[in-house]
Amino acid sequence: MALRWAGSATEHLVVRLEPGADLRVSLEEVFDGTGATAGFVVACVGSLTSAELRMAGEDGATRVPGPLEIVSLSGTFGPDGPHLHMAVSDGRGAMRGGHLLAGCVVRTTAEVVLGLTGAVVFHRKRDLKTGYAELAPEKAGPGGA
């Protein structure tokens, strides 16, 4: 499925999260406060005291001890919740990555740029083929969602 909207219908928001903030929880709160119906991570840099990730094919969380640098954060936000993946590196440069879970505490900073729009809605609906709630974007109604 592909869905297009005008770039002029997208705004950007920069957020700096301070030490002690929970990365996922904070980003969900920021998105929920924007009134947007769809969002996506444009960029993120920062550090964590440790990370809580769900690795591919696993049901539970894996704790990655820190301190850690955020190497990459990507994903989408919508009214049904976010789908976020993160890669982090430790003091030796060893990398780990997976689904971003609550419990990733900012160490010094997390500088995040989000793209936001009301032109489309990023719903998540259960896909019978995968068994997961997958992205199901749709055009927003007149005047937004």
Side-chain angles (χ1 to χ4, degrees), residues 5 17-18 36 44 51 57 63 65 72 75 79 86 98-99 106 117 133:
W5 74 90
L17 302 178
E18 296 183 355
C44 176
R63 183 168 195 78
S72 175
M86 182 173 65
H99 289 270
V106 173
T117 187

Side-chain angles (χ1 to χ4, degrees), residues 48-72:
L48 302 172
T49 60
S50 63
E52 293 287 331
L53 302 173
R54 184 174 59 78
M55 305 304 186
E58 298 296 320
D59 291 329
T62 296
R63 183 168 195 78
V64 181
L68 302 165
E69 292 292 330
I70 300 170
V71 175
S72 175

Side-chain angles (χ1 to χ4, degrees), residues 8-29:
S8 61
T10 301
E11 64 179 345
H12 295 88
L13 174 68
V14 63
V15 178
R16 178 181 176 243
L17 302 178
E18 296 183 355
D22 184 299
L23 181 61
R24 181 183 171 111
V25 171
S26 296
L27 291 179
E28 286 185 75
E29 289 172 352

Side-chain angles (χ1 to χ4, degrees), residues 43-139:
C44 176
V45 295
S47 64
L48 302 172
T49 60
S50 63
E52 293 287 331
L53 302 173
R54 184 174 59 78
M55 305 304 186
E58 298 296 320
D59 291 329
T62 296
R63 183 168 195 78
V64 181
L68 302 165
E69 292 292 330
I70 300 170
V71 175
S72 175
L73 177 66
S74 62
T76 57
F77 295 86
D80 305 321
H83 184 188
L84 300 166
H85 290 188
M86 182 173 65
V88 293
S89 65
D90 64 19
R92 295 184 325 272
M95 291 183 53
R96 303 282 301 269
H99 289 270
L100 174 66
L101 303 176
C104 297
V105 178
V106 173
R107 185 170 66 87
T108 61
T109 191
E111 302 160 7
V112 185
V113 179
L114 299 177
L116 304 166
T117 187
V120 297
V121 183
F122 284 174
H123 284 297
R124 302 201 70 76
K125 296 184 181 175
R126 181 154 305 280
D127 183 305
L128 296 177
K129 293 179 208 159
T130 69
Y132 294 101
E134 307 288 9
L135 186 64
E138 60 185 47
K139 289 278 190 182

